[in-house]
Structure formats: C-alpha cells, structure tokens
Amino acid sequence: MKTTTPLVSEELTAAPLSSAAGSIRVFGYEGGDVNVSCPYDWGFEGHQKYLCNDGCRYADVLITTSQGSSGKYSIHDDKTARIFTVTISDLRLDDAGKYWCGVTRIGRDISIERELEVKPDRCCDTVNNIQGNEDGSVTISCPYDSQSDNKLKFFCRGNRPSTCLQQAVITSSNTQDGRFRLSDDRKSGIFTVTISSLTLKDSGSYLCGVQRNSGFDVFSAVDLEVKEWCCVESKNLSGIAGRAVTFQCPYPPHHRNNMTFLCKGAQRSDCTYMTYQGRFTLHNVNAAFFSVVITKLEAEDSGTYWCRSDPEWIVGNYTQFHLTVEEVEQRGLSIIEAQYWLFAALPVLLLILIIILVKVCRTKRRQLNEAAVDMNTSKLEAADAQDVTSGEDIYKNDDVAAMFRQQKRTQQRTHVLPGTADEDQVIYENNPTEQIYCNHFI
C-alpha cells in the first residue's frame, strides 16, 4: 500500500505497551470476519494507529486510521476507551499468522502482537446420523468434556460454526422453545436435545455447540433424516361384545430381540400401551408374526390400535387396526326383525305368484283357441273355394247337365221318394262315382 509518509521504521522492533503483556490469539472462520482489538495508553489518542503483518516494515502496513478502510480491512479508533479495532473481512486460510497493532510516535513505534487462527467454516469429520419419523419425536445426544460443565450449550441448524450461536434454536439458558427441549446431564457429560412433532422439513444438518471463553467453540455434527409415513398397513376388524378378537402383527426375524407393542390411540405418536395381562394376551410369537388376543370384548374396546416390534417406530414396521365392537342384543334384535318381516311378506309373495300363474295359463289357453279357430277357418275357406270351382265346372259342362236331367227322369220312373233310404242306393246304381260326388256339390 502507499502512504504519504512512513509510519514505521524499516526494521520494527516491537515495544509492548505498559498495559499489555504478551501475544493474544484471535480466531476466525474462513469466509467470515474477525475483529482485532488493540488497546493503547493515555496520551496517544491523537496519534495514528495501524495494523501490519510479517516483518511490519513499511510495505507490510495493512491499514491506518487515516485511511479508514482499504480492501478487506477497516479500522475504528475509540479514543474514549483508548482501543482501536481492525476488522478483517472475507477471511482465507492463508490469512492466519502474526499481526501487530502499532501506534506511531517519535522514534520507535509502539506495537503489540496478535496471532490469528483461521479454520474452515464447516464441521465435522465425524457426523452422527439420526433417523426420526414424521409426527414422532427424536432425541439427539451431544457429548462434551469435563472442562465444559459450566459452559453455555447450544443447538443450531446448519453446518456453519461461525453463525451457530447467533442462530441457535435452543440453549442451556433457555431449555424449552416450542418443539425443542434441551436437557443437560453434567454427570455423564452429555446434553440432549429433543425435537417433537417432527416434519419432513426437519431433515438436515445440525450442530451441537459448547461455548469457550477463548478460542473456537466446540462442535459436534448431526445429520437428521425424517421419514414419511408412506406405507401404512391398515386393517378393519369387527367383534361381538363378550367374545374374543385377534390382532396379527408382523414380526421380522431381525426383531426377535425386540419387545412387542400394542397401543391404542387415534395417533401413532400418542397412544396408550396395552399391557399383556387381563383381557389382553400375547400368543403365537414366531419368526413371521405375533398375535394379541382380546377376550370378553367390551363396547369401549372399539377404536384404533397400533402394533409394532420396534421402539423407534421405523417406517413399515407397524400395523394399524380399526376395531368395531357390536353389542349382542343389537345383533339378535336385527335377526328377529328380519325373520318377522320375512314371514309377514310370505303370504303376499304367494298371492302374487298365484296371480302370475293364472294369467300365464289364461294367456296360453287363449293362444290355443285362437290357433284352432284359425285352422278351422282355413279349412272352410279351402272347402268353399273347392265347391265354387266344382259348381262352375258342372254348369259349364253340358254333359253333366244332361246327366242331371236323365237322373231326374229315372227317379220319376222308379217312384222313389226323395229322402228315403233307397234314394242313395238308386243314385249309386245308376250313376258313376264321379257323378255322385258332383251331385253332392250341387
């Protein structure tokens, strides 16, 4: 940097202020800011101050009070408190090292040493993976050393140590905040954070932090995964008061050492555990399933039940049952009523059946009569047609007419009276067969 007049000698030898002793360490995170505070004695309020590094020669001066700010450096002089502060922004790992706070004076300048440490703004090499289920709760354990018993503990979301304390969702000075609760067990050196009513948005990275009076705060990293209740197996069961009903629950082989659970409640996260005693008994425990039998059912047993064999409520390891209990009296009354209505309706059904049969029979008879009439009519029409044709042929045939006259004269000679028994015989004897048929037609 350029200045109008030299502020330091070519070879600066640090001369500590009477109010300061030794080097002070300063800490910052990569990408963040750090404040370097530099006190000075009374009488130097009007003197120019600066910050330098390396050999603190003329070219090593980073910022002066006459400049105010330069690049990533800015300076402020509080003359009342006799402290000037240099802020270094956008820290990089190579910014770490030794710095000197300088006060100009005639002869050798006064300076005090500062050592800056810079760490990456992330944590940590080891991450504790935690799983929780939607609508449930999860407890996160955060260990710390014995020197931090009385230190402030805090819990924040994300993975940036530089802003964790400022953005903490819960601290040991405020142990309850909404869904978050912090509990500190100093004997075991562990503080726990419980998150209730989990949502899918709660998934992500978290940091457990312990504040230090100097140096970097201590952190441990947690990765929380909240699983969705996506595969609920739900079954409907019904039972009769006074009798028994059986719940059959899955029991995977890798759960053989787990306790079996049956609880009652509308929500899986808030249900009452039903102990296996009294009317509730455990049966048929094997590698595939376990059964819970409720004997002597009561109306109050109706409701929603949950069975599982995993205390952490892992998704897919539970079954939901909706149980309905019916009263015996109500079930018997409905059967009696059904029988009564059946017997009451039986005569009516029989009458309707008889009426239908009568109508069917009448219809069949009418159809038969009509068929017979049609047949007779057809025969008569055919006979009439034949008569007409035969008559016309007779009258058109002169021979037939002559024969007819001859027949008449013969009847007169034989003096046979018409209508007597011998009439037909005379006709048959004196006339051929064809003439007889023709006479019938005439």
Side-chain angles (χ1 to χ4, degrees):
M1 59 170 281
K2 281 189 173 182
T3 56
T4 54
T5 57
L7 298 176
V8 292
S9 61
E10 289 295 326
E11 297 293 337
L12 175 64
T13 301
L17 296 174
S18 57
S19 60
S23 177
I24 297 178
R25 299 173 66 189
V26 181
F27 306 91
Y29 289 99
E30 184 180 17
D33 301 340
V34 67
N35 293 322
V36 181
S37 297
C38 306
Y40 55 88
D41 281 342
W42 179 85
F44 292 95
E45 292 83 354
H47 291 233
Q48 185 162 233
K49 289 85 177 177
Y50 58 91
L51 182 73
C52 61
N53 61 2
D54 294 335
C56 212
R57 292 180 291 269
Y58 179 83
D60 299 325
V61 175
L62 303 173
I63 187 69
T64 68
T65 50
S66 61
Q67 292 176 302
S69 63
S70 177
K72 60 188 296 180
Y73 304 96
S74 60
I75 190 170
H76 172 71
D77 185 10
D78 185 351
K79 296 180 181 180
T80 301
R82 294 194 297 276
I83 297 176
F84 72 91
T85 303
V86 177
T87 300
I88 306 175
S89 303
D90 190 21
L91 286 172
R92 299 189 301 270
L93 295 179
D94 57 7
D95 287 329
K98 291 185 177 182
Y99 293 80
W100 284 269
C101 302
V103 179
T104 60
R105 66 175 183 175
I106 298 175
R108 175 180 288 183
D109 294 344
I110 301 173
S111 63
I112 55 176
E113 184 179 298
R114 295 288 184 263
E115 184 173 356
L116 173 62
E117 294 185 18
V118 181
K119 292 178 64 174
D121 193 14
R122 59 181 181 273
C123 182
C124 301
D125 294 336
T126 302
V127 178
N128 185 20
N129 294 309
I130 303 293
Q131 288 186 341
N133 295 305
E134 189 180 13
D135 295 335
S137 62
V138 67
T139 298
I140 300 171
S141 298
C142 305
Y144 57 87
D145 57 33
S146 58
Q147 298 178 355
S148 303
D149 289 348
N150 298 321
K151 299 296 190 298
L152 179 70
K153 285 84 176 178
F154 53 96
F155 185 78
C156 69
R157 181 160 192 171
N159 196 32
R160 294 190 60 189
S162 63
T163 59
C164 186
L165 181 57
Q166 292 79 11
Q167 299 177 359
V169 295
I170 192 73
T171 68
S172 56
S173 60
N174 181 22
T175 58
Q176 183 71 44
D177 188 357
R179 298 184 298 118
F180 295 85
R181 181 171 58 87
L182 188 148
S183 178
D184 187 8
D185 185 357
R186 296 183 179 180
K187 291 183 179 180
S188 62
I190 297 175
F191 76 90
T192 58
V193 176
T194 301
I195 309 174
S196 59
S197 301
L198 287 170
T199 67
L200 297 179
K201 294 181 179 180
D202 290 325
S203 297
S205 299
Y206 293 84
L207 291 179
C208 302
V210 178
Q211 189 180 36
R212 291 288 179 85
N213 294 335
S214 62
F216 293 100
D217 295 340
V218 180
F219 294 96
S220 58
V222 175
D223 188 78
L224 173 61
E225 180 184 6
V226 180
K227 292 187 176 181
E228 181 182 6
W229 291 102
C230 61
C231 308
V232 179
E233 183 180 0
S234 182
K235 298 181 179 180
N236 294 321
L237 291 179
S238 61
I240 301 174
R243 300 183 184 179
V245 71
T246 301
F247 298 107
Q248 192 173 69
C249 308
Y251 195 44
H254 59 280
H255 286 185
R256 291 307 301 270
N257 295 325
N258 292 355
M259 182 178 178
T260 57
F261 292 86
L262 178 71
C263 64
K264 181 181 180 182
Q267 300 295 328
R268 53 187 170 268
S269 58
D270 184 20
C271 61
T272 303
Y273 173 65
M274 313 303 291
T275 57
Y276 301 136
Q277 60 184 7
R279 297 187 300 111
F280 291 78
T281 54
L282 182 66
H283 295 277
N284 301 327
V285 178
N286 56 42
F289 63 89
F290 68 92
S291 299
V292 180
V293 179
I294 308 177
T295 59
K296 298 180 180 179
L297 283 172
E298 301 174 357
E300 292 76 12
D301 292 330
S302 296
T304 302
Y305 292 81
W306 308 83
C307 68
R308 58 191 173 95
S309 55
D310 193 325
E312 298 299 327
W313 287 90
I314 299 301
V315 174
N317 291 338
Y318 68 97
T319 304
Q320 181 189 63
F321 294 93
H322 298 288
L323 175 62
T324 302
V325 179
E326 299 179 4
E327 294 288 347
V328 177
E329 293 78 6
Q330 294 179 354
R331 187 180 182 90
L333 183 60
S334 62
I335 295 175
I336 293 173
E337 289 179 348
Q339 293 175 348
Y340 170 79
W341 286 110
L342 178 61
F343 285 113
L346 186 58
V348 178
L349 294 175
L350 291 175
L351 180 59
I352 294 173
L353 181 60
I354 292 171
I355 293 172
I356 293 173
L357 291 175
V358 170
K359 287 185 176 181
V360 170
C361 292
R362 288 181 176 177
T363 302
K364 290 290 185 181
R365 180 179 296 175
R366 185 172 59 251
Q367 291 175 351
L368 292 173
N369 291 337
E370 290 176 353
V373 171
D374 292 342
M375 183 179 296
N376 292 332
T377 302
S378 299
K379 290 181 178 180
L380 290 174
E381 289 176 352
D384 291 341
Q386 185 175 0
D387 290 342
V388 172
T389 304
S390 299
E392 289 177 353
D393 292 340
I394 291 170
Y395 287 112
K396 289 180 182 179
N397 193 330
D398 294 336
D399 294 337
V400 175
M403 181 190 67
F404 181 78
R405 290 190 297 271
Q406 180 64 33
Q407 178 183 353
K408 188 173 181 181
R409 287 192 298 269
T410 304
Q411 286 179 356
Q412 291 175 355
R413 286 195 303 268
T414 57
H415 302 285
V416 179
L417 295 176
T420 62
D422 295 332
E423 178 183 4
D424 294 334
Q425 181 65 29
V426 174
I427 295 173
Y428 283 107
E429 289 177 353
N430 299 308
N431 296 290
T433 303
E434 290 83 358
Q435 295 176 357
I436 294 172
Y437 283 113
C438 288
N439 293 334
H440 279 291
F441 284 118
I442 293 172

